[in-house]
Amino acid sequence: MMKKLYVFLLLYLSMASVGQIPSFPTPQASSLGNYSNNNYGSITNGRSAQRNYEPSLPSSYQKSPNTVQQNNVYGLNTRPQNDAVMREIEQDMAEVREMQFRKWVEDGRNMSYDLPPLSGKAGTKAYYDAFNKISGMDSENYSLADVNFTVENAFYDNKQDITKFKAGIQKTAKQLLQKMKEMKQDTESNVSKNLMLFEYFSKDMTLGGKVHEAFEYDFKDYMGEKDYSKMFVSKLLKTGSGQCHSMPLYYLMLAEEMNTETYLSLAPNHSYIRFVDDEGKLRNIELTNGMFPTDNAFLESGYIKSEALQNKIYMENLSKKELLGMAYFDLARGYVHKFGYDEFVNKVIDKALELYPNGIAPNMEKANVDRARLISVLQRLGIDPDDKRDLEKAGYFPKAVEQFKELNEQFNTIDNLGYAEMPASAYESWLAGLKTEKNKQESEALAERMRLYQLQKQKERQEQENLKKAQEKKKQEQKPRYFPIDPNKL
């Protein structure tokens, strides 16, 4: 669900929001003079090239063009004197322009090229605390419930209750395991536990004496553009409806509590669940419509290129480290939604990329940060980033040119990973297309096959246990019996 400056998956983003800026030329030293220090030298030779970029002159130097004509009206022969005065004025004006130009370049080269900090805004400290807390966790061994709560709690300015949040997850996990026992299902089977979790999300069931209704897909503002809390697991638990970001995360938390092997996987603008069945095959769980789609169902979207598969940005099981990388991405997106872009976002995204280098969502957010930084710099220089001719002025500032190169390199990274933008309309159409009768029948048939396979395996295990008990009993019966001898009777 990556779209525009919002992602996804999240994820959840679009390259349309980070469109490239045209290249601007690097000025030649011979025509501009030496601007690497305060001794700029003369720019006379480059004046013709600079004329289009000269700043406006102070009003005190703007003489009336009718001065000469007015003097002639009074019969004064002042033409030679006026020419000399005009030449002197023009020279003064040129000096003013040169000073203004030098100051503009000097100020521009000495200013900060970072994004302006947003630390003064109320609520940012909660995000700094969240980043520090997650950074202190073991990337290979952490609680997803702890991480997710930390991310969401930062958005709510640390006002949520983690004890209540985790207690709810633990309670539901225990109830699901108890439900399995009541249905005489194998509580040690990874597949059985995943099937129970699937039913919990997709069907009404009674848990702990209460009816739990199946979760619903929230089609209204599903990307959280207006209400960012739509992305949260806490919102899913409160309302019973969510989307492809909150549902899989909650599933993973329950699976973690039930000690079940489950994975998060990504598709364009989307995330879903995967697990390994008893036949050793990877199975997909689509929680937004309660189905077991095939891999072809995701490929049929038309937005997964071969390069994307080769670079493993889609349809792969995320490792523990990569999943934590996506949590950092979620933290950055929440911050941007509340406050905007500053260097803290860059810090968080760099951490996400450290854990998940090929992650398409954090890579796109990195481009968003680079773009926001460059635009901020151009605007502070008084350069219109939407005006190609005005944009050429940025060539006077090596740091700006370097930032532009970095942005282009990040775009190239995204292209090389195999990303293809999936419009929201195409995503919604694809998601709706999963509910075809054919896909439903295939999903139901696969679910039944896994259940029957489970029952067969359970039956075989029971028979093996019964056989083992019978053999043990027979072995005990065949042991010779020894009777104690009374020494008094000898």
Side-chain angles (χ1 to χ4, degrees):
M1 298 177 60
M2 298 174 290
K3 174 193 172 188
K4 295 185 179 178
L5 298 179
Y6 188 75
V7 73
F8 177 125
L9 167 175
L10 102 265
L11 319 55
Y12 329 75
L13 301 170
S14 165
M15 278 298 291
S17 64
V18 288
Q20 286 182 306
I21 299 173
S23 300
F24 33 71
T26 302
Q28 299 298 318
S30 59
S31 63
L32 297 179
N34 178 15
Y35 296 128
S36 60
N37 53 51
N38 292 332
N39 184 19
Y40 296 124
S42 175
I43 60 171
T44 304
N45 294 334
R47 185 162 295 158
S48 61
Q50 300 164 22
R51 190 163 294 146
N52 293 327
Y53 313 130
E54 291 173 349
S56 300
L57 296 173
S59 58
S60 58
Y61 284 94
Q62 295 178 0
K63 302 297 183 180
S64 170
N66 296 322
T67 302
V68 175
Q69 289 83 344
Q70 290 174 358
N71 287 338
N72 288 334
V73 168
Y74 295 107
L76 299 176
N77 184 15
T78 57
R79 179 63 178 271
Q81 294 179 357
N82 284 338
D83 286 347
V85 171
M86 291 304 297
R87 283 195 298 271
E88 184 177 349
I89 291 175
E90 287 177 0
Q91 184 177 355
D92 291 343
M93 292 170 65
E95 291 177 358
V96 169
R97 287 194 295 267
E98 183 172 339
M99 287 188 295
Q100 290 176 329
F101 177 77
R102 287 182 180 184
K103 186 174 187 335
W104 174 62
V105 173
E106 181 180 13
D107 291 347
R109 291 191 173 188
N110 291 332
M111 75 178 192
S112 171
Y113 278 68
D114 290 339
L115 282 162
L118 302 173
S119 55
K121 292 189 176 182
T124 54
K125 184 179 182 302
Y127 275 88
Y128 305 152
D129 293 343
F131 176 81
N132 292 334
K133 184 175 181 179
I134 298 175
S135 297
M137 298 180 181
D138 184 348
S139 61
E140 299 284 0
N141 183 25
Y142 59 87
S143 163
L144 181 58
D146 284 340
V147 171
N148 183 82
F149 177 84
T150 301
V151 171
E152 295 187 9
N153 195 34
F155 186 83
Y156 292 116
D157 203 14
N158 290 337
K159 295 179 180 179
Q160 303 298 299
D161 186 349
I162 189 171
T163 302
K164 183 178 179 181
F165 179 76
K166 294 185 70 173
I169 295 173
Q170 294 166 357
K171 179 181 178 181
T172 300
K174 289 180 181 179
Q175 290 176 337
L176 290 173
L177 290 172
Q178 181 60 37
K179 186 77 173 180
M180 292 178 67
K181 291 178 181 178
E182 294 172 1
M183 299 174 67
K184 298 182 179 180
Q185 295 179 358
D186 185 0
T187 57
E188 298 300 319
S189 166
N190 184 65
V191 177
S192 292
K193 285 187 277 190
N194 273 291
L195 291 176
M196 175 55 68
L197 280 167
F198 172 77
E199 291 190 4
Y200 169 72
F201 275 80
S202 59
K203 298 180 180 180
D204 296 348
M205 65 166 58
T206 302
L207 285 178
K210 297 181 180 179
V211 176
H212 163 74
E213 296 182 354
F215 290 106
E216 296 180 349
Y217 187 81
D218 188 353
F219 286 95
K220 185 177 181 181
D221 189 27
Y222 61 88
M223 296 187 70
E225 293 180 340
K226 296 180 180 178
D227 180 5
Y228 193 73
S229 69
K230 292 287 188 80
M231 305 292 292
F232 294 160
V233 172
S234 54
K235 181 267 180 187
L236 170 68
L237 297 177
K238 183 178 180 180
T239 65
S241 65
Q243 27 75 298
C244 75
H245 180 265
S246 57
M247 287 186 184
L249 280 179
Y250 182 44
Y251 187 109
L252 290 171
M253 291 179 212
L254 290 172
E256 185 177 72
E257 190 65 33
M258 295 170 69
N259 195 27
T260 308
E261 186 178 356
T262 310
Y263 304 97
L264 184 73
S265 189
L266 305 177
N269 298 357
H270 199 67
S271 64
Y272 59 100
I273 294 294
R274 296 176 109 194
F275 70 97
V276 180
D277 70 7
D278 289 319
E279 299 177 82
K281 296 181 179 179
L282 276 169
R283 300 301 183 187
N284 307 316
I285 293 180
E286 181 49 62
L287 298 172
T288 59
N289 54 29
M291 293 174 61
F292 293 94
T294 63
D295 285 348
N296 284 335
F298 294 97
L299 294 171
E300 287 172 356
S301 72
Y303 291 89
I304 299 181
K305 300 194 295 187
S306 59
E307 296 92 334
L309 296 176
Q310 291 169 2
N311 290 308
K312 300 182 178 181
I313 67 172
Y314 296 136
M315 301 178 68
E316 291 287 333
N317 299 340
L318 266 62
S319 67
K320 195 79 171 174
K321 287 178 65 175
E322 291 168 339
L323 188 60
L324 186 60
M326 290 302 294
Y328 278 107
F329 166 77
D330 287 340
L331 184 69
R333 286 307 307 155
Y335 183 94
V336 170
H337 187 87
K338 287 193 74 172
F339 310 111
Y341 285 99
D342 66 2
E343 294 303 328
F344 173 74
V345 179
N346 189 58
K347 179 180 178 181
V348 178
I349 289 300
D350 281 347
K351 188 66 176 180
L353 289 171
E354 177 186 323
L355 297 169
Y356 192 8
N358 277 15
I360 192 61
N363 267 290
M364 292 185 68
E365 191 63 3
K366 180 69 173 178
N368 285 339
V369 176
D370 290 347
R371 178 180 181 271
R373 183 188 296 111
L374 179 57
I375 289 178
S376 172
V377 165
L378 293 175
Q379 290 175 340
R380 280 180 279 148
L381 289 171
I383 297 173
D384 183 358
D386 296 322
D387 186 329
K388 186 175 180 179
R389 187 172 181 179
D390 198 38
L391 195 59
E392 293 178 357
K393 299 178 187 178
Y396 294 120
F397 306 96
K399 289 183 181 179
V401 174
E402 185 60 32
Q403 287 181 340
F404 173 71
K405 290 178 180 178
E406 290 174 358
L407 176 59
N408 269 342
E409 288 173 1
Q410 188 60 31
F411 284 139
N412 290 335
T413 296
I414 293 169
D415 289 339
N416 293 335
L417 285 173
Y419 172 77
E421 180 188 354
M422 187 178 193
S425 58
Y427 171 72
E428 293 166 8
S429 177
W430 168 76
L431 196 62
L434 290 177
K435 297 181 180 181
T436 63
E437 192 60 33
K438 178 185 176 182
N439 286 339
K440 286 182 180 180
Q441 291 176 359
E442 289 179 350
S443 174
E444 291 172 359
L446 179 58
E448 185 63 19
R449 176 181 173 181
M450 287 189 288
R451 291 189 184 94
L452 291 175
Y453 201 96
Q454 273 292 293
L455 290 174
Q456 181 63 29
K457 284 197 66 175
Q458 192 170 340
K459 182 179 179 181
E460 291 174 357
R461 282 195 296 269
Q462 189 62 49
E463 289 176 350
Q464 291 176 354
E465 290 177 5
N466 292 338
L467 178 60
K468 186 178 180 180
K469 289 179 181 179
Q471 290 174 342
E472 187 65 29
K473 182 178 180 182
K474 185 176 181 181
K475 186 177 179 180
Q476 291 293 333
E477 290 175 348
Q478 290 177 346
K479 283 184 178 182
R481 297 185 178 184
Y482 298 94
F483 299 95
I485 299 177
D486 188 351
N488 295 325
K489 294 183 179 180
L490 293 176

